[in-house]
Amino acid sequence: MSCIYKIKQASSSFTATEKRIADYILNNREQALTFTTQRLAEETGTSAAATIRFAQKLGYKGITAMKLDLAKDEDESDELFNVLIEKTDSVEVMVKKIQKISERNIQQTYKLLDITNLKNAIDKVKHAKNIYLIGVGGSGIVCIDFMQKLTRINRNVIYHEDFDVLLARLAHISKEDILIAISYSGETQMVNLAVDYAKENEVPVIAITQYNVKSTLSKNADIKLYTPIEEKELRLGAISSRNSALVLTDLIYYGIAKENFNETKSALTKTRSLIHKLKKNK
């Protein structure tokens, strides 16, 4: 059942306050998707608590869950581009399907984004002595990309594709460090093992995972950055979840880079200069 349908179905039981919130969402869906809870309250002349109660009355755990469902409503009428790839698809149809999937996924990633959590994540990473990354498979690719970016601006990042080697490094993690754990399911055993160890040592944990407050990773993380839930049977090799995670790590990277622009520019210049010199001497 869609969010819009739930609102319309429950309209007869709304209080005057709830009706204001409902009317605003129905008439300003795009804005409602991008607003924080406080901003939505201001626009509707209500309170943050009232907007949360409204979402809960519709059966959602909170505003974020309601917004995720609301985002899906935009695509309900578009049945042509099912996310599953068919054997009979032409290359042209395949391209259009993947384009649709990618666009929808990125839009939902931004709509799910909690700016306060992002700011907290940037601040934690910025002040960490060492930045530990943990991720397996497609999430490991995100870790490698993030490690390369942060290394270029002179941040001390620790990641290794060999989990035994990474565990050996994690053994020395301290409360001055931070662990960024990336797992779509939130139930990857090796990732949660690392998170448990970090928590035992009072190390802050940032999770990049699907929107599921009941997952082990979501429960144990201090800061959560969510990717959209992919409900189809075929996840296309985790392409969508990987792209969402890349968006979130890029946002953390840009947030750190902009804090001291001159220092960032200097670090990037040094990195490029050395790489160019080494390539030239090959």
Side-chain angles (χ1 to χ4, degrees):
M1 188 185 298
S2 72
C3 180
I4 296 298
Y5 182 80
K6 288 179 181 178
I7 292 174
K8 292 179 177 179
Q9 187 183 51
S11 60
S12 61
S13 66
F14 287 158
T15 63
T17 296
E18 290 168 344
K19 190 174 186 309
R20 286 206 303 276
I21 299 171
D23 288 344
Y24 185 86
I25 292 173
L26 291 175
N27 295 318
N28 304 275
R29 181 163 54 182
E30 285 297 326
Q31 292 91 328
L33 284 168
T34 60
F35 287 165
T36 61
T37 303
Q38 186 58 46
R39 178 70 188 280
L40 182 58
E42 291 171 0
E43 292 294 325
T44 56
T46 59
S47 65
T51 60
I52 293 170
R53 286 196 298 270
F54 175 80
Q56 291 172 339
K57 186 169 185 174
L58 295 177
Y60 300 106
K61 291 184 179 296
I63 293 294
T64 301
M66 184 183 74
K67 285 166 67 177
L68 179 60
D69 216 17
L70 185 62
K72 294 177 184 177
D73 287 344
E74 296 177 349
D75 300 303
E76 281 186 344
S77 61
D78 193 352
E79 296 297 332
L80 175 61
F81 300 116
N82 188 292
V83 299
L84 296 178
I85 293 178
E86 306 277 346
K87 184 179 179 179
T88 56
D89 287 346
S90 66
V91 173
E92 289 80 8
V93 169
M94 180 195 72
V95 169
K96 289 180 179 179
K97 282 186 175 182
I98 299 303
Q99 178 185 356
K100 191 71 177 179
I101 295 166
S102 299
E103 289 173 351
R104 181 184 305 172
N105 181 263
I106 296 303
Q107 288 171 1
Q108 290 187 358
T109 300
Y110 280 104
K111 287 168 183 175
L112 269 178
L113 186 62
D114 185 314
I115 297 298
T116 299
N117 282 354
L118 177 62
K119 287 179 179 178
N120 289 338
I122 291 169
D123 186 67
K124 290 288 186 184
V125 174
K126 183 175 65 176
H127 292 102
K129 181 178 179 181
N130 298 298
I131 304 162
Y132 287 80
L133 307 177
I134 179 74
V136 179
S139 298
I141 295 172
V142 179
C143 289
I144 293 171
D145 177 82
F146 197 31
M147 176 180 67
Q148 290 177 343
K149 285 186 172 74
L150 291 174
T151 300
R152 286 174 179 267
I153 59 172
N154 199 29
R155 299 286 168 167
N156 192 25
V157 190
I158 298 168
Y159 175 72
H160 204 285
E161 292 178 87
D162 185 315
F163 192 69
D164 289 337
V165 174
L166 182 57
L167 276 183
R169 297 299 306 272
L170 275 167
H172 306 288
I173 199 169
S174 73
K175 58 177 70 173
E176 294 179 319
D177 304 324
I178 193 160
L179 175 66
I180 300 177
I182 305 175
S183 167
Y184 172 75
S185 68
E187 300 297 345
T188 307
Q189 185 177 7
M190 291 183 286
V191 172
N192 287 327
L193 175 66
V195 169
D196 288 343
Y197 185 76
K199 299 298 289 182
E200 288 173 11
N201 288 276
E202 300 179 36
V203 177
V205 174
I206 298 172
I208 295 178
T209 185
Q210 68 165 321
Y211 181 74
N212 180 2
V213 294
K214 294 182 179 179
S215 76
T216 303
L217 178 56
S218 187
K219 286 178 181 178
N220 291 335
D222 300 290
I223 300 172
K224 295 100 171 172
L225 296 174
Y226 289 119
T227 62
I229 297 173
E230 298 170 38
E231 298 177 343
K232 300 294 181 177
E233 294 179 2
L234 179 61
R235 287 185 54 221
L236 301 175
I239 292 171
S240 294
S241 58
R242 183 198 64 201
N243 290 344
S244 292
L246 284 168
V247 166
L248 295 173
T249 53
D250 280 353
L251 288 172
I252 296 173
Y253 168 73
Y254 289 131
I256 295 167
K258 78 175 184 63
E259 288 298 315
N260 192 329
F261 190 78
N262 290 331
E263 184 180 313
T264 298
K265 185 177 178 181
S266 175
L268 287 172
T269 300
K270 286 181 180 179
T271 302
R272 288 172 184 157
S273 177
L274 178 59
I275 291 172
H276 179 71
K277 187 182 295 183
L278 290 174
K279 285 184 177 178
K280 196 173 181 180
N281 292 333
K282 277 188 177 181

